[in-house]
Amino acid sequence: MSLIVYTVASLFTVTALLIFRRPRLALRDPLTASTCVSIFLGGLCFFCSAPVTLGAVNEVTHVPNFGAPMTYSVISAYSASLLILLINWRGGPAERVRSQVVRVATVYSLVIVAVITLFALAHAPVERLRDLDTYYANTPYMREMIVLYLLGHGACAVITIYVCLRWSREVTGILRLGLRLIMAGLAVDVLGFECAKSTAVVARWAGHDLDRLSTGLAPRAAALGALLCAAGFVLPRLLPATLSQWRSIWDYRALGPLWAELRNVPTAPKPAPPRWQLPRGRLYYRELRILDALLALQSRCDGRVRETAYRQARGQGSPPGEAHFIAAAAMVVDAAHQAGRPGPPEGPGPEGGSRLHTALFSDTGELVRLARALAGSPVVRAAREGAARTARS
């Protein structure tokens, strides 16, 4: 059991670190900060509830079952953090958001104080690492403490499901998916954890033994529900950035032929890029170098080459948009070969520069289309061969 909860706690910690990778920016954003706090507390819940952790805490404090109020307090804090995260995520007027956050924090702070107070008043001399809820279900003050933390966590789950259900009807896309994951996770938590724990406790009140629901089903349901819930909160925040980085990898590779054509064009010196970069940063530096090279080729671009290539591309059946990029690629290839030869630039100069300026922009998609035309068009291949023959002569 300890291995399961420690694994879940580790997953929560890694997720929190991914979101909190820029601490200064994260602390300025209430949504990011509350997301990290909620995920961290979720992981802490599982860490504290592990029998190994409970045993170590009891031994260090020399208080039997001291780990119980500690774990219940963390669960209550986690419940409050879920509600606060949902409030910040939903947004609205700043004053209303602040007021709601204060109310939630106040209520669950009182719950935590009550849990600790009830434990202090109770008499629980026998250490129970796995079945404390049912073992002490009929013990004065311990009984009230157990019911209180279950009610606090259950109220959080029901309120969050209700708000997410209403909100999911107003939004679409990945945000709706995230809300549905949250609802699914909380539904698993309510049915698998809350109901199982409550049923086992009530069974003890009635003189029956259903402890296996509390010790077997509840921890596993809590782990699954918490993972689904965390995925629902994190997915809308991390998935767009992840997809952006993934697209950057493909765009970086797609620009390879264009960069290979232009990498030897003399340009103004630039600072060396950082050695370790995410794909988006690598793509940015490649685009910057390509654009610098294209600007350096302005005076060598020959509009006649572009017009000829455009007619050839149209004659081969290319649509106007594709022919536009094929013609621009042919002109770039010709200009790049000119840049490799000594002497003044050839061609009409200003007219060619104007045509290059209207053909190419700093948009990544257009640079990728230019690179694909340069790599795959027979018209561009013929232009390259013609430029090479001119260079040899």
Side-chain angles (χ1 to χ4, degrees):
M1 184 61 66
S2 293
L3 179 60
I4 294 175
V5 294
Y6 283 149
T7 302
V8 176
S10 300
L11 291 174
F12 272 65
T13 303
V14 171
T15 305
L17 291 175
L18 286 175
I19 298 177
F20 202 67
R21 61 188 182 276
R22 295 181 180 177
R24 290 184 180 180
L25 295 177
L27 291 175
R28 295 174 186 172
D29 181 10
L31 178 57
T32 302
S34 56
T35 302
C36 292
V37 170
S38 179
I39 293 175
F40 173 76
L41 287 175
L44 190 60
C45 286
F46 288 97
F47 178 81
C48 292
S49 64
V52 173
T53 303
L54 293 173
V57 170
N58 295 340
E59 182 178 354
V60 169
T61 59
H62 302 289
V63 178
N65 302 309
F66 185 85
M70 177 191 70
T71 302
Y72 298 162
S73 297
V74 174
I75 291 174
S76 299
Y78 173 60
S79 300
S81 71
L82 285 179
L83 292 174
I84 292 173
L85 172 55
L86 191 63
I87 291 169
N88 286 318
W89 196 11
R90 177 89 180 187
E95 188 62 32
R96 187 184 70 183
V97 169
R98 189 180 303 110
S99 174
Q100 292 175 341
V101 168
V102 170
R103 283 202 297 269
V104 169
T106 301
V107 169
Y108 279 90
S109 295
L110 293 175
V111 171
I112 292 172
V113 171
V115 164
I116 296 173
T117 303
L118 290 168
F119 178 78
L121 294 173
H123 179 65
V126 180
E127 183 182 58
R128 309 301 297 186
L129 300 180
R130 291 179 173 82
D131 61 347
L132 182 140
D133 292 341
T134 51
Y135 186 86
Y136 287 107
N138 292 305
T139 303
Y141 298 114
M142 289 292 286
R143 173 182 57 229
E144 287 77 9
M145 180 190 71
I146 293 166
V147 171
L148 182 61
Y149 99 84
L150 287 174
L151 286 177
H153 185 62
C156 162
V158 172
I159 292 171
T160 305
I161 290 174
Y162 173 73
V163 174
C164 289
L165 181 61
R166 290 188 58 188
W167 192 9
S168 64
R169 296 169 181 169
E170 304 171 5
V171 297
T172 58
I174 190 171
L175 181 55
R176 176 182 286 181
L177 174 61
L179 292 171
R180 287 178 176 175
L181 284 173
I182 294 170
M183 289 188 290
L186 291 174
V188 171
D189 186 79
V190 169
L191 297 175
F193 179 81
E194 285 286 332
C195 290
K197 286 277 185 181
S198 300
T199 301
V201 169
V202 171
R204 278 290 183 138
W205 294 348
H208 302 290
D209 184 356
L210 294 178
D211 290 9
R212 62 183 179 278
L213 294 177
S214 178
T215 58
L217 174 61
R220 291 174 172 81
L224 176 59
L227 288 174
L228 288 172
C229 191
F233 280 115
V234 170
L235 196 62
R237 296 184 58 80
L238 289 185
L239 186 59
T242 303
L243 292 177
S244 175
Q245 297 293 340
W246 185 254
R247 286 193 297 267
S248 296
I249 294 175
W250 288 102
D251 290 340
Y252 181 87
R253 293 177 176 175
L255 290 177
L258 182 58
W259 172 236
E261 192 75 39
L262 301 175
R263 66 187 311 161
N264 295 322
V265 175
T267 58
K270 291 285 187 301
R275 178 172 296 181
W276 301 106
Q277 300 177 80
L278 290 173
R280 189 73 191 99
R282 293 171 61 85
L283 175 63
Y284 168 78
Y285 279 101
R286 173 160 284 188
E287 288 180 350
L288 186 63
R289 291 168 177 169
I290 288 174
L291 291 172
D292 284 347
L294 291 175
L295 288 173
L297 292 178
Q298 287 280 0
S299 60
R300 298 181 181 274
C301 287
D302 191 341
R304 294 170 299 184
V305 173
R306 179 183 181 279
E307 292 171 0
T308 301
Y310 183 84
R311 289 195 299 268
Q312 291 175 348
R314 292 289 289 145
Q316 294 178 4
S318 299
E322 182 181 349
H324 168 80
F325 284 95
I326 291 173
M331 185 170 60
V332 167
V333 165
D334 179 76
H337 277 78
Q338 284 192 46
R341 301 199 301 268
E346 300 177 8
E351 179 188 0
S354 174
R355 290 179 181 275
L356 177 62
H357 180 71
T358 57
L360 305 176
F361 306 93
S362 58
D363 180 76
T364 302
E366 294 187 346
L367 288 177
V368 168
R369 292 184 66 183
L370 179 68
R372 288 172 178 166
L374 188 145
S377 172
V379 174
V380 178
R381 193 178 306 115
R384 182 183 291 108
E385 294 171 356
R389 287 194 298 270
T390 303
R392 286 195 297 269
S393 62

